[in-house]
Amino acid sequence: MKLNICCIPGDGIGPEIVKEAKKVLNKVAEKYGHEMNFTDILMGGASIDVHGVPLTDEAIATAKASDAVLMGSIGGDTNTSPWYKLEPSLRPEAGLLKIRKSLNLFANLRPAVLYPQLSGACPLKEEISAKGFDMLIMRELTGGLYFGERKTIEENGMLKAIDTLTYTEEEIRRIAIKGFEIARKRRQKVTSVDKANVLDSSRLWRKVVNEVAKDYPDVALEHMLVDNCAMQLVKDPAQFDVILTENMFGDILSDEASMVTGSIGMLSSASLNDSKFGLYEPSHGSAPDIAGKDIANPIATVLSAAMMLRFTFDLDEEATAIEKAVEAVLDKNYRTCDIMSAGCTQVGCSQMGDLLTAEI
Ligand code: IPM
Ligand code: MG
């Protein structure tokens, strides 16, 4: 099979971790007889430095022309980087929002799994972590507050900032369908998270999710308010299978869920549109403080590449080979510094890539 993959190394540790993911993918290609063509584009700060904007139309066209996009991470230190002196629409994050919207990537899948080998890293009490957990946050990614109209005006000598939160029935329905479809392949449970006791957009969310649920009688549905969900994630994370939620709630809850695993350097994500096309990226950020030191954990990016093989290319065997390689390296007690514990062997980013490649 011929795979045309657009890569976004991005900023901070992005280039290092994407390099290791390519290494692993090339080994997969060699072993299973595929042809992988990688085309790099600039996004975020890397693009600002060259083009003055976080994402050019040419870069979007290259991404659109490929089968899938594999991304590292974008952004810098918001306190010190000159990128954050630019107006908001020219900052690194604007590039990410633009590519999501341009490619219609409305469904964001963020798994949060407690790996048994890493359960010691889980910050929760042992009586809670002992149960293990394996949830998937399905976040709506191209609507809501992050894409509504916004402005700052002056009214009676006072500055006033306005952000608007809108959702159409259709935007809710298509993400709900994705949520129920994926729950069907997992443990058949959807927890839909909203703030229906206050927000109109949440009341519409709940109504549409209830309608969609009628087509999935095999999937159990519950509704949960977002503030309660934030508590439940630390109290009893094992109760969750698929968490279905809107853009901002999903942004916040997915960070919380990844922290609860204790190993954010292990968590992958996929952003999908209505076809097989997707953008795959680690759930963690660009970690500018450790960039260029060869100590970052490339596993989240490598696992994102596995998600890409599975969702975009239907290459289940190859995806499983990557996931098994990760387990094997963990079983042999190799760890990057973020997941290091006593008795294990600490390795750097490129060495971790080599170890994973050797297991394929
Ligand atoms: C994420 C990030 C982005 C988001 C930022 C960088 C715009 O936090 O992918 O979760 O909020 O979506
Ligand atoms: Mg976020």
Side-chain angles (χ1 to χ4, degrees), residues 38-156:
F38 298 110
T39 314
D40 285 5
I41 60 169
L42 295 177
M43 193 169 98
S47 174
I48 295 172
D49 290 346
V50 177
H51 302 294
V53 290
L55 184 69
T56 62
D57 291 341
E58 293 74 53
I60 293 179
T62 305
K64 266 192 184 152
S66 64
D67 301 320
V69 181
L70 181 65
M71 184 183 142
S73 48
I74 54 113
D77 185 326
T78 50
N79 292 312
T80 58
S81 166
W83 301 328
Y84 296 93
K85 297 215 163 64
L86 299 167
E87 65 147 296
S89 68
L90 292 175
R91 293 179 194 169
E93 288 71 13
L96 184 55
L97 296 177
K98 186 171 168 188
I99 201 167
R100 286 173 180 165
K101 197 71 173 179
S102 311
L103 303 178
N104 197 24
L105 304 171
F106 64 88
N108 183 215
L109 285 62
R110 298 189 168 183
V113 184
L114 185 66
Y115 282 83
Q117 299 95 332
L118 303 177
S119 60
C122 174
L124 302 178
K125 278 190 194 147
E126 214 189 311
E127 65 207 61
I128 302 175
S129 65
K131 285 202 267 175
F133 57 86
D134 176 358
M135 72 184 94
L136 182 121
I137 300 191
M138 174 71 80
R139 167 187 175 194
E140 199 292 324
L141 202 59
T142 54
L145 209 45
Y146 294 11
F147 288 94
E149 219 180 289
R150 70 182 92 258
K151 61 183 172 192
T152 305
I153 54 171
E154 204 178 308
E155 224 176 58
N156 307 325

Side-chain angles (χ1 to χ4, degrees), residues 126-351:
E126 214 189 311
E127 65 207 61
I128 302 175
S129 65
K131 285 202 267 175
F133 57 86
D134 176 358
M135 72 184 94
L136 182 121
I137 300 191
M138 174 71 80
R139 167 187 175 194
E140 199 292 324
L141 202 59
T142 54
L145 209 45
Y146 294 11
F147 288 94
E149 219 180 289
R150 70 182 92 258
K151 61 183 172 192
T152 305
I153 54 171
E154 204 178 308
E155 224 176 58
N156 307 325
M158 178 100 76
L159 284 176
K160 179 171 167 181
I162 303 162
D163 293 288
T164 39
L165 166 47
T166 53
Y167 267 110
T168 66
E169 255 180 273
E170 193 39 44
E171 284 174 315
I172 301 168
R173 186 164 292 114
R174 63 183 182 175
I175 186 78
I177 290 171
K178 288 257 187 201
F180 280 95
E181 287 290 333
I182 204 133
R184 225 175 216 175
K185 296 189 189 139
R186 294 173 49 100
R187 301 193 310 278
Q188 293 90 36
K189 183 178 174 192
V190 168
T191 304
S192 176
V193 174
D194 61 37
K195 188 71 185 171
N197 53 348
V198 178
L199 302 174
D200 257 33
S201 56
S202 282
R203 286 188 272 269
L204 182 62
W205 182 276
R206 210 175 258 220
K207 177 174 179 284
V208 175
V209 169
N210 278 330
E211 283 165 17
V212 171
K214 290 191 186 127
D215 293 331
Y216 299 86
D218 48 325
V219 177
L221 168 68
E222 67 175 0
H223 298 282
M224 193 178 275
L225 295 173
V226 62
D227 42 358
N228 183 26
C229 184
M231 291 196 296
Q232 296 299 326
L233 276 172
V234 290
K235 189 172 166 240
D236 179 19
Q239 70 182 288
F240 296 112
D241 179 16
V242 174
I243 292 181
L244 171 67
T245 192
E246 62 93 65
N247 202 343
M248 183 173 68
F249 297 159
D251 185 22
I252 298 167
L253 294 176
S254 62
D255 265 25
E256 185 187 356
S258 64
M259 195 61 226
V260 166
T261 68
S263 41
I264 185 168
M266 304 284 300
L267 303 177
S268 55
S269 83
S271 304
L272 308 174
N273 68 12
D274 252 335
S275 69
K276 285 269 166 196
F277 188 89
L279 180 148
Y280 301 84
E281 57 171 317
S283 281
H284 59 72
S286 60
D289 51 323
I290 60 161
K293 296 186 179 160
D294 193 30
I295 58 172
N297 186 351
I299 294 180
T301 316
V302 169
L303 289 172
S304 302
M307 277 182 113
M308 174 182 79
L309 296 182
R310 180 167 283 125
F311 288 118
T312 292
F313 299 104
D314 287 318
L315 296 173
D316 280 311
E317 195 185 338
E318 289 82 343
T320 307
I322 294 180
E323 289 154 1
K324 287 232 164 78
V326 170
E327 301 255 352
V329 168
L330 293 179
D331 284 338
K332 289 180 182 169
N333 290 329
Y334 290 109
R335 304 279 190 271
T336 42
C337 61
D338 56 310
I339 50 173
M340 183 60 188
S341 60
C344 293
T345 311
Q346 191 167 322
V347 297
C349 182
S350 62
Q351 204 184 340

